[in-house]
Amino acid sequence: MKISVIGTGYVGLVTAVGLADLGHQVVGTDKIKDKIDRISLGDVPIYEPGLDALLKKNLKKGNLTFSQNMDDTIQAAEVIFVCVGTPQKEDGSADMSQIEEVSRMIAKNLNSYKVVVEKSTVPVKTSMWIKRIISLYRKTDVDFDVASNPEFLREGSAVSDFLNPDRIIIGVESDRARDLLVEIYGSFKDRILITNIDTAELIKHASNSFLAMKISYINMISDLCEKTEADVELVAEGMGLDKRIGRQFLRAGLGYGGSCFPKDIKALARIGEELGVTMSLLKEADKINAARVETFIKKLKKCLWILKDKTIAMLGLSFKPETDDIREAPSIKIIAKLLEEGAFLRLYDPKASENMKSVFPESENRLIYVDNPYQAVGNANALLFITEWDEFKNLDWETIKKNMANPIIIDGRNIFLPEDVRKRGFEYYSIGRR
Ligand code: UDX
């Protein structure tokens, strides 16, 4: 079966490489020439563990190619996965202009039956629009189907998520499209759920919003723990032992970031409102998330009182570990706030510093990026842990303490056991526990 994948961003690239690895003949395409040139040479433009090796392997095998010629790529395909961006607009809704553009291109190149599969996260009812646009712009009466196959990849573990998925959701309205998609995912037959298209579209938004709500819920409880003698880690453990709840996504901290949760929860709230459904539960979860950074800064101020001209070390800039992605990362808001207060910042991240430099360029005077945690803490009045990278778990505490002006740690991700850090002579504050 000939498959093309339109868009070689995070989702598109993993999808193209993953489908090729399942044994399909795949062509990836993108309108950005530079990206296609790099990827064709086996150079992955993002940091995603395992992706580099899998890309090289499948390029070599010859069943994966990349082309900038979108017309040819569409014409040659039987199944087209649409993986272009749906960024957030100011009102919280998703900007669907790239999906519309691709739909028109598919219409123009509709030379034989094709299944157009939405892979990007889209509002429920998008397929209806894709169908309408293709029907309006096609020049022949060649038949086509639209389907929804939402993506559930997590950044940092996208390759293993693709190769070992919990579930494959296939939303279709014809047997022909269903059979083709079931064939594509034949190796995961036991994990396929077939629904209608609206249901498949909604499963993605509803799942992400639910997980985001779960995080905001435990963060709300962590605030309550801080006003009592309760410990949020044990509350989460106790809750998680109930199989109906589960321990995952009950990690209290600085809240959710990334390219999905913040965007999807707002988009779903917006969709509900447009359809006349009250979505206040989602809005509240989003509000709790937005307040996490303020609560964290308050903790810092409680230690240092005035932040002006204090030196603050920050470890971890990406929105979560194992990625260089800084989209909607809490670190961005924290850096902005600390600069506004007049602090000096020393920042370190294993992978995300380059990306952060495009948001906050280095300034000799106020903000510098360093090469390791020990340089970051040089003369620092406080050390903030923002992302729980593994390499922070085995630091040489003696050196850290020696390098700091004041041995104060505020851990935004509950990486350490309080007693372990305190016994080394640090003042230690974390989230929802003493
Ligand atoms: C998410 C979904 O998990 C994935 O299925 C979907 O396809 C895309 O969106 P991703 O954004 O890569 O994936 O990261 P994820 O691991 O889900 O974490 C999202 C955010 O929640 C991160 O900022 C993370 O730090 C935060 N988080 C996660 C918590 O604060 N607490 C938790 O317990 C779990």
Side-chain angles (χ1 to χ4, degrees), residues 11-71:
V11 169
L13 187 55
V14 176
T15 302
V17 172
L19 288 171
D21 205 60
L22 293 182
H24 302 297
Q25 196 65 40
V26 181
V27 182
T29 181
D30 199 294
K31 59 181 178 186
I32 304 172
K33 182 178 178 300
D34 194 42
K35 256 188 177 180
I36 294 296
D37 290 346
R38 278 182 69 177
I39 297 169
S40 301
L41 294 172
D43 179 12
V44 176
I46 47 169
Y47 172 71
E48 181 61 42
L51 187 56
D52 201 58
L54 212 62
L55 170 69
K56 289 195 173 85
K57 174 183 149 196
N58 285 286
L59 285 173
K60 203 168 158 198
K61 244 170 51 186
N63 57 333
L64 175 64
T65 52
F66 290 87
S67 159
Q68 225 223 321
N69 189 330
M70 218 173 272
D71 294 334

Side-chain angles (χ1 to χ4, degrees), residues 387-430:
T387 312
E388 66 279 28
W389 282 92
D390 268 347
E391 71 168 68
F392 301 155
K393 290 176 186 157
N394 294 307
L395 293 172
D396 172 358
W397 291 110
E398 271 311 306
T399 312
I400 299 272
K401 199 166 151 218
K402 216 166 55 206
N403 288 2
M404 290 183 76
N406 308 119
I408 298 173
I409 291 178
I410 308 181
D411 176 359
R413 298 287 181 184
N414 289 359
I415 305 174
F416 308 105
L417 286 175
E419 59 272 24
D420 281 358
V421 187
R422 287 188 187 126
K423 78 172 180 233
R424 293 181 158 94
F426 290 90
E427 253 183 63
Y428 177 76
Y429 305 91
S430 54

Side-chain angles (χ1 to χ4, degrees), residues 28 41-42 63 65 83 111 118 124-125 145 248 256 289 348 356 375 412:
L41 294 172
N63 57 333
T65 52
C83 303
N111 58 337
E118 319 159 335
V124 58
K125 291 280 169 213
D145 272 309
Q248 286 189 50
Y256 54 79
N289 198 56
Y348 171 71
M356 195 56 92
Q375 287 175 2

Side-chain angles (χ1 to χ4, degrees), residues 3-9 11-13 15-16 19 27 29 70 74 79-86 96-106 115-122 126 130 134 145-151 181 185:
I3 299 177
S4 63
V5 176
I6 304 184
T8 55
V11 169
L13 187 55
T15 302
L19 288 171
V27 182
T29 181
M70 218 173 272
I74 292 169
V79 180
I80 301 169
F81 283 85
V82 180
C83 303
V84 294
T86 53
M96 303 302 288
S97 53
Q98 292 182 54
I99 299 261
E100 204 256 6
E101 190 186 331
V102 167
S103 305
R104 276 189 280 123
M105 300 228 32
I106 294 172
V115 187
V116 180
V117 189
E118 319 159 335
K119 195 88 180 144
S120 320
T121 304
V122 293
T126 297
I130 296 178
I134 299 179
D145 272 309
V146 175
S148 165
N149 168 224
E151 192 45 78
L181 280 160
Y185 289 113

Side-chain angles (χ1 to χ4, degrees), residues 10 121 151-157 161 167 204 208 211 215 218-219 247-262 264 289 319-321 328 330 387-388 413:
Y10 179 75
T121 304
E151 192 45 78
F152 298 105
L153 306 176
R154 287 164 302 170
E155 292 188 31
S157 56
D161 285 350
R167 79 276 212 212
K204 169 70 191 224
N208 276 3
L211 291 170
I215 298 169
I218 199 66
N219 280 331
R247 180 64 175 87
Q248 286 189 50
F249 283 72
L250 284 181
R251 274 185 290 111
L254 285 161
Y256 54 79
S259 63
C260 292
F261 289 177
D264 292 353
N289 198 56
F319 83 96
K320 69 173 199 177
E328 299 281 338
T387 312
E388 66 279 28
R413 298 287 181 184

Side-chain angles (χ1 to χ4, degrees), residues 86-95 123 205 262-271 273-274 286:
T86 53
Q88 189 181 307
K89 290 199 287 192
E90 262 182 24
D91 64 2
S93 64
D95 176 354
H205 260 145
K263 184 173 83 139
D264 292 353
I265 201 167
K266 286 187 188 72
L268 187 57
R270 181 89 201 164
I271 293 163
E273 273 167 7
E274 277 168 13
D286 199 34

